[in-house]
């Protein structure tokens, strides 16, 4: 009995290792390239959204279309959403901001997709809003602010008569 027969899983290779010959791996690689190219194209076309360096803890204002759609000429309603950035997720075309604000005494959280065509612009109202510029924000996600006093995240001031 030869020594090689003990290793049933051993097969000598003939040529190159076919790493990306599997259709599933090829499709995954192509999808990743398409996703990256479309992200770069959208970033170049919308400098009002991507030219702003938004970090967790900043107070921001986002202009977004809420009624009518992107290509509609009539009845277009643009809403301004304010809040403190609790976190940012980087997932290609599914990149998002998690913002929190207090409206009429109730905390409201939103997850807003950045690459959405409904987003028109992003403005930073105040850098390091959470600590009022006294110290650095040292976390990527500020979910601990959910347990704190809601007044800490209040960006929108209520109108009083």
């Amino acid at each position: 009995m030869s020594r090689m027969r003990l290793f049933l899983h051993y097969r000598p290779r003939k040529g190159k290792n076919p790493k990306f010959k599997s259709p599933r791996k090829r499709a995954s690689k192509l999808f990743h390239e398409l996703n990256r190219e479309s992200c770069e194209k959208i970033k170049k076309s919308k400098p009002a959204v991507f030219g702003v360096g938004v970090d967790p803890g900043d107070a921001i204002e986002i202009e977004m279309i809420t009624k009518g759609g992107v290509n509609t000429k009539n009845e277009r309603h643009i809403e301004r959403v304010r809040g403190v950035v609790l976190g940012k997720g980087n997932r290609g075309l599914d990149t998002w901001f998690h913002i929190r604000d207090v409206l009429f005494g109730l905390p409201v959280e939103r997850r807003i997709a950045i690459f959405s065509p409904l987003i028109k612009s992003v403005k930073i109202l105040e850098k390091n809003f959470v600590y009022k510029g006294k110290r650095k924000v040292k976390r990527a996600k500020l979910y601990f602010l959910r347990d704190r006093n809601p007044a800490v995240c209040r960006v929108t001031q209520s109108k009083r008569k």
Side-chain angles (χ1 to χ4, degrees):
M1 196 164 164
S2 76
R3 230 175 143 168
M4 289 308 223
R5 287 190 172 184
L6 294 176
F7 300 107
L8 298 176
H9 63 277
Y10 174 75
R11 290 188 190 128
R13 289 188 183 165
K14 297 177 183 175
K16 293 183 178 179
N17 184 9
K19 185 173 183 179
F20 289 110
K21 296 292 181 185
S22 160
R24 180 184 58 81
K25 288 184 179 180
R26 259 196 337 257
S28 176
K29 190 175 178 182
L30 288 173
F31 183 72
H32 178 68
E33 283 182 30
L34 286 173
N35 195 353
R36 188 175 40 81
E37 287 174 6
S38 59
C39 286
E40 289 173 5
K41 182 180 171 186
I42 293 172
K43 281 182 183 179
K44 287 179 184 175
S45 67
K46 293 169 104 178
V49 177
F50 297 102
V52 183
V54 178
D55 296 321
D58 295 347
I60 63 171
E61 181 179 73
I62 300 175
E63 285 186 7
M64 57 191 300
I65 298 173
T66 56
K67 186 178 179 185
V70 179
N71 297 324
T72 307
K73 300 292 184 230
N74 55 354
E75 258 196 81
R76 207 178 211 195
H77 186 262
I78 295 179
E79 180 183 357
R80 288 188 173 94
V81 179
R82 292 180 172 197
V84 176
V85 179
L86 294 185
K88 183 180 176 186
N90 295 316
R91 304 283 184 277
L93 284 175
D94 192 33
T95 300
W96 47 267
F97 288 135
H98 207 118
I99 64 172
R100 181 182 174 97
D101 195 13
V102 178
L103 300 173
F104 302 108
L106 296 174
V108 176
E109 287 190 18
R110 289 187 179 186
R111 182 179 174 184
I112 297 176
I114 302 171
F115 284 99
S116 171
L118 300 176
I119 303 293
K120 290 297 161 197
S121 69
V122 177
K123 264 193 277 184
I124 295 180
L125 300 175
E126 187 178 336
K127 289 293 262 183
N128 198 355
F129 179 79
V130 176
Y131 295 127
K132 308 292 185 222
K134 293 179 182 174
R135 60 181 179 154
K136 249 168 69 171
V137 175
K138 296 183 180 179
R139 302 278 181 273
K141 305 285 190 280
L142 304 178
Y143 295 142
F144 65 89
L145 293 177
R146 293 174 177 165
D147 300 331
R148 302 245 173 120
N149 187 356
V152 173
C153 294
R154 182 186 304 272
V155 177
T156 306
Q157 299 299 324
S158 59
K159 297 176 182 175
R160 295 185 182 174
K161 294 181 180 180

